[in-house]
Amino acid sequence: DTLWDLAIAEVEKRENPDDDDVKPGEVWEKSILFMGNKNGGKTTIILRCLEREDSPKPTLALEYTFGRRSRRHNTPKDVAHFWELGGGTSLVELIRIPITSYNIRSFAVVLVLDLSKPNELWTTMENLLQVTRNHVNKILTKLKKTNPEVAAEIKQRTWNNLQRDHPDSALVDPFPIPLVIIGSKYDIFHEFDSEMRKIISKTLRFVSHYYGASLVFTSKSEALLLKARALINHLAFGYDRSKSVSVDPSKPLFIPAGLDSMSQIGPPPASDSDLGKLRANTPLELWKKVFEKTFPPKSFCDLQDTKDPAQDSQYAEYCLLYTSEQKNQ
């Protein structure tokens, strides 16, 4: 084969991966984008998933690492690409770099929400998921023209976690690619007033179920990190999905996608008279208004990271700094 033949074969393989039925000797390749609150613990979760002992450093812009695992003895190691978006919501447009038409079939998103900052929670979640969804939908629209079978398969896959006769089929709007929502810093959240914890837990259960996502609460505790790792390893390396469920609001939540229901979650946590006064066009909008009544949101501008990345001390190099100062003078 010439170099061109090999290149063509590689592109065709990327455009038409057959991950659901990986043949012996072939490598499983997945990509995951971690995003969420600034200083919410994304880097710590990634390091624990990859079993690395490094100390986490603040993430600047978009960072990449990878992990490799063997499914069986004497088989090639599968590869998982881990992307991490830093800066909270300020650099969300960078998601266009890792999520492309080449890897959309094997891509997943992990949204890390800081439970200790409920006033930032909804705004962060809404902005990050909205921009990501719009970008993914643009890719799928193009795929419908170039490769309609793959586009149809991706759309069908979003419903796979819900049973065919699930009573909530008409009430949910699954995210176009697999999504895991992690509530971090549970140790701080656990000290909150029980009513506050109940509102946050119930709201995140609704949002996760609405988007067809898995939900897990975690902290630096090894036992809780293991549960988060189980969900991420399922996405990254195809490990078996856990079927255990924990919905008790007094304990850390753990709900794999498709194993919750609107009847179990119940109505938004507000009185009937308050619900009657709120005007909302969709259930998601109603839950947003109820949540933000208890936790007034920080404005989007307050969540923007205004620090100049060029001044970040962890990447300082004397010769470049000296040249930069000369230029500024």
Side-chain angles (χ1 to χ4, degrees):
D1 288 349
T2 66
L3 190 59
W4 288 114
D5 294 328
L6 293 170
I8 291 166
E10 177 65 22
V11 169
E12 285 176 351
K13 187 179 171 187
R14 285 186 183 186
E15 288 180 345
N16 302 292
D18 194 13
D19 292 335
D20 294 331
D21 186 21
V22 180
K23 298 174 183 65
E26 286 188 352
V27 173
W28 165 298
E29 203 167 322
K30 296 282 185 177
S31 300
I32 301 178
L33 172 65
F34 287 75
M35 56 188 186
N37 291 88
K38 193 180 176 193
N39 301 320
K42 299 182 291 297
T43 308
T44 302
I45 292 167
I46 291 172
L47 290 172
R48 293 305 298 122
C49 284
L50 298 175
E51 298 175 7
R52 292 184 191 161
E53 300 299 326
D54 316 24
S55 298
K57 294 177 182 175
T59 302
L60 184 71
L62 186 67
E63 294 198 0
Y64 168 82
T65 187
F66 67 93
R68 300 174 74 208
R69 302 267 166 85
S70 284
R71 267 167 294 156
R72 289 178 295 277
H73 185 59
N74 284 340
T75 58
K77 288 189 175 181
D78 298 327
V79 181
H81 306 280
F82 288 80
W83 296 86
E84 183 185 354
L85 181 71
T89 56
S90 57
L91 299 168
V92 68
E93 294 300 328
L94 290 177
I95 61 155
R96 290 178 294 184
I97 295 168
I99 308 178
T100 67
S101 57
Y102 292 114
N103 62 17
I104 193 73
R105 280 184 79 191
S106 57
F107 212 98
V109 170
V110 175
L111 176 65
V112 180
L113 298 172
D114 188 337
L115 296 174
S116 70
K117 298 175 182 173
N119 299 82
E120 296 180 13
L121 195 146
W122 193 285
T123 310
T124 300
M125 174 182 69
E126 186 175 58
N127 281 292
L128 290 172
L129 291 184
Q130 204 168 39
V131 174
T132 307
R133 184 168 212 156
N134 290 343
H135 175 62
V136 170
N137 283 340
K138 281 180 187 173
I139 291 174
L140 293 178
T141 302
K142 286 181 183 175
L143 264 181
K144 277 181 189 173
K145 296 172 184 173
T146 59
N147 203 332
E149 294 87 5
V150 170
E153 181 202 317
I154 292 170
K155 190 170 183 182
Q156 177 55 42
R157 219 186 265 178
T158 62
W159 291 93
N160 283 354
N161 288 323
L162 271 188
Q163 296 162 356
R164 287 191 178 181
D165 55 349
H166 199 291
D168 300 337
S169 296
L171 304 172
V172 298
D173 185 15
F175 206 67
I177 53 178
L179 173 66
V180 170
I181 296 176
I182 296 180
S184 66
K185 303 191 182 177
Y186 177 79
D187 47 339
I188 300 171
F189 170 77
H190 190 59
E191 303 299 320
F192 285 7
D193 170 74
S194 63
E195 199 55 37
M196 286 171 67
R197 289 204 313 268
K198 187 179 174 185
I199 293 169
I200 295 168
S201 296
K202 233 184 159 185
T203 302
L204 285 178
R205 278 183 68 187
F206 169 79
V207 169
S208 298
H209 186 55
Y210 180 81
Y211 283 124
S214 297
L215 175 65
V216 59
F217 284 1
T218 190
S219 68
K220 289 181 180 176
S221 145
E222 194 61 34
L224 292 185
L225 275 169
L226 276 172
K227 291 197 165 188
R229 274 177 63 186
L231 287 175
I232 293 164
N233 280 334
H234 169 68
L235 296 176
F237 300 107
Y239 288 14
D240 289 342
R241 201 168 75 116
S242 174
K243 293 286 171 67
S244 69
V245 176
S246 173
V247 295
D248 184 344
S250 65
K251 295 176 182 173
L253 296 182
F254 180 80
I255 312 169
L259 299 184
D260 212 343
S261 68
M262 296 296 185
S263 58
Q264 286 180 299
I265 296 166
S271 66
D272 290 344
S273 59
D274 282 345
L275 286 175
K277 292 172 191 170
L278 295 172
R279 292 187 176 183
N281 296 321
T282 64
L284 190 67
E285 200 178 319
L286 180 64
W287 278 83
K288 176 184 178 179
K289 290 189 173 181
V290 171
F291 184 81
E292 291 186 341
K293 197 168 183 235
T294 308
F295 304 105
K298 282 193 173 185
S299 72
F300 186 56
C301 294
D302 292 339
L303 297 176
Q304 297 285 303
D305 191 3
T306 53
K307 196 172 71 177
D308 180 2
Q311 305 301 320
D312 197 300
S313 57
Q314 67 175 316
Y315 300 106
E317 291 188 38
Y318 175 74
C319 58
L320 294 180
L321 195 63
Y322 179 68
T323 309
S324 179
E325 281 176 359
Q326 279 188 316
K327 174 177 175 275
N328 289 338
Q329 285 170 5

